[in-house]
Amino acid sequence: MKKHVLFVAIFSIVSVLFAVNDISLMDTAKKEGITLYWDSLSETGMLEKNGHQITFRKDESIVMLDNVRFELTDAPELKNNKIYVSKKFMNDADQMFKENNSTMFKVGAILVDAGHGGKDPGALKTYKINGKDVTIQEKDVNLKVARLLGERLKTAYPDKQIILTRNKDVFLTLQERTEIANNVKVKEDEAVLFISIHVNSSLNKTSSGYEVWYLSPGYRRTVLDKSSTDDKSLFPILNSMLEEEYTTESIMIAKFIMDGLQSQIGNESKARGIKAEEWFVVKNSNMPSVLIELGFVSNEKEALLLNNDTYLKKAALGIYNGIAAFITHFERSKGFTSANEN
């Protein structure tokens, strides 16, 4: 989650090749007072103790300490849906937990991206409202919700950077939006979140509902500066670990936002769920990112809702509540799901 990553690789190939993974990580973590978080989708986990976090992946010998340093140890295994590690893995973890470090991770900036704008209206449809033809444009809906969301975030988090990619009706290319996101300056112990707001459309006029998208786990992107390590053979592994972390956290944000929208919108529109896609604006943002589709402008009933300020306030509040829940979770547990809760 940092803009700068310090790489320290300690090679011990013999111990990696002949590691015996016969220790149940979950059982040992409980006994040693270690909090274990595990994401079964990305097969990535984290151990937390004494203010330290050790991020690891199944079958990978490189672990990440406090998200700023990489170390080499024995690779964990997944057997019968349980994580097993070697004695060396636990000894190395114990040493890392004993290091002096009081760094606390937090969200430093939140980018709210109102899709389309200016010459690009996005999805649009004209309906008869009170006897007049009214064209409902995606760019206008996106901007209204982005502004409402931005106001709530600024009030709730005066210590965080709240940035709108656009706060008026102007055109920005997809590249410009991701450049704004990727150029945000935060401290090394701070994360950046990217929230893109859109409206849907379909040839099927009955299609309706809202959905939240994240980057497909099957897509791989470069999220690491290639100059960060001189060992080019290490780069794909290190990049993959950090990308998996972004994916996991994006899924968590999507879940929280979906819950927030459902709570506020209720039965006025239906939840279409959380989905994965390779959106340009998401896949090119080097941070946890989600894209929200608020509803279908091609559905007359839903279009009228999207033209209603009261409804948009509910949507903005739902998104805000989701982001707030994620921030609380992230700043407490680094964004993973506790294996002890499953």
Side-chain angles (χ1 to χ4, degrees):
M1 302 293 298
K2 311 302 169 295
K3 290 292 182 180
H4 307 287
V5 181
L6 172 64
F7 299 102
V8 178
I10 305 173
F11 289 96
S12 181
I13 302 302
V14 174
S15 64
V16 172
L17 290 176
F18 296 98
V20 178
N21 291 322
D22 56 2
I23 299 174
S24 168
L25 187 56
M26 181 177 291
D27 293 343
T28 304
K30 287 181 180 179
K31 185 170 64 176
E32 300 293 333
I34 302 169
T35 302
L36 168 63
Y37 302 95
W38 176 253
D39 178 67
S40 58
L41 181 65
S42 63
E43 297 185 324
T44 304
M46 188 189 74
L47 298 172
E48 187 176 61
K49 185 179 180 181
N50 298 336
H52 289 288
Q53 293 94 19
I54 300 172
T55 305
F56 63 91
R57 280 184 64 190
K58 179 180 78 78
D59 298 331
E60 292 289 357
S61 58
I62 295 177
V63 299
M64 185 160 48
L65 175 63
D66 294 334
N67 220 34
V68 296
R69 197 177 85 214
F70 288 89
E71 299 281 359
L72 194 76
T73 186
D74 292 343
E77 287 183 70
L78 192 63
K79 298 185 287 189
N80 298 320
N81 293 321
K82 291 186 178 181
I83 311 161
Y84 285 87
V85 296
S86 68
K87 183 177 180 180
K88 172 177 169 52
F89 181 97
M90 292 309 306
N91 287 340
D92 290 344
D94 184 60
Q95 289 302 311
M96 285 183 260
F97 287 138
K98 289 179 179 177
E99 292 189 17
N100 293 323
N101 182 11
S102 59
T103 300
M104 296 299 291
F105 296 97
K106 60 182 289 188
V107 173
I110 305 168
L111 280 95
V112 181
D113 174 48
H116 306 279
K119 66 181 182 180
D120 176 16
L124 54 84
K125 189 74 173 178
T126 300
Y127 295 98
K128 189 78 71 175
I129 303 177
N130 297 326
K132 296 181 179 179
D133 288 337
V134 177
T135 301
I136 301 171
Q137 301 185 99
E138 177 183 1
K139 67 173 185 177
D140 299 329
V141 176
N142 297 342
L143 184 57
K144 284 182 181 179
V145 174
R147 283 173 169 172
L148 290 167
L149 177 59
E151 289 172 5
R152 283 189 175 276
L153 289 169
K154 287 177 182 179
T155 300
Y157 301 107
D159 60 324
K160 303 184 190 302
Q161 299 180 62
I162 310 300
I163 304 168
L164 272 64
T165 55
R166 67 179 183 97
N167 57 16
K168 56 185 178 180
D169 187 21
V170 295
F171 173 75
L172 293 174
T173 65
L174 296 176
Q175 186 65 43
E176 287 173 323
R177 295 171 194 273
T178 52
E179 285 177 359
I180 291 172
N182 292 332
N183 286 324
V184 174
K185 304 299 182 185
V186 293
K187 297 176 182 177
E188 289 198 1
D189 60 349
E190 293 181 335
V192 181
L193 308 182
F194 187 87
I195 314 296
S196 190
I197 299 173
H198 287 257
V199 169
N200 226 330
S201 184
S202 174
L203 294 176
N204 184 350
K205 294 181 180 180
T206 65
S207 296
S208 65
Y210 51 90
E211 53 199 26
V212 186
W213 295 77
Y214 65 93
L215 187 68
S216 168
Y219 182 85
R220 288 292 173 262
R221 54 185 169 166
T222 300
V223 296
L224 219 52
D225 184 350
K226 290 187 177 181
S227 65
S228 299
T229 176
D230 293 330
D231 191 331
K232 300 309 177 186
S233 64
L234 272 180
F235 182 82
I237 300 173
L238 304 181
N239 183 76
S240 180
M241 285 188 69
L242 201 55
E243 197 278 334
E244 289 283 8
E245 184 175 348
Y246 288 161
T247 298
T248 300
E249 289 160 356
S250 296
I251 294 170
M252 293 296 294
I253 298 171
K255 288 180 178 178
F256 281 122
I257 289 177
M258 178 57 66
D259 290 344
L261 287 170
Q262 284 181 281
S263 177
Q264 291 300 316
I265 292 174
N267 295 326
E268 292 185 74
S269 182
K270 68 178 182 180
R272 292 169 60 90
I274 299 168
K275 304 183 179 182
E277 185 54 275
E278 297 172 14
W279 297 98
F280 181 93
V281 73
V282 172
K283 75 180 182 181
N284 287 281
S285 300
N286 296 338
M287 60 199 65
S289 315
V290 296
L291 186 147
I292 303 163
E293 295 279 11
L294 292 168
F296 285 77
V297 73
S298 50
N299 180 302
E300 183 171 2
K301 179 182 177 182
E302 197 151 84
L304 296 181
L305 288 175
L306 295 171
N307 195 51
N308 183 294
D309 288 344
T310 300
Y311 183 82
L312 296 185
K313 287 179 182 178
K314 291 180 182 179
L317 178 57
I319 298 169
Y320 162 78
N321 286 341
I323 294 172
F326 174 80
I327 290 173
T328 299
H329 183 88
F330 176 84
E331 294 184 345
R332 182 186 75 242
S333 64
K334 197 61 179 66
F336 285 78
T337 301
S338 175
N340 299 326
E341 296 173 357
N342 294 337

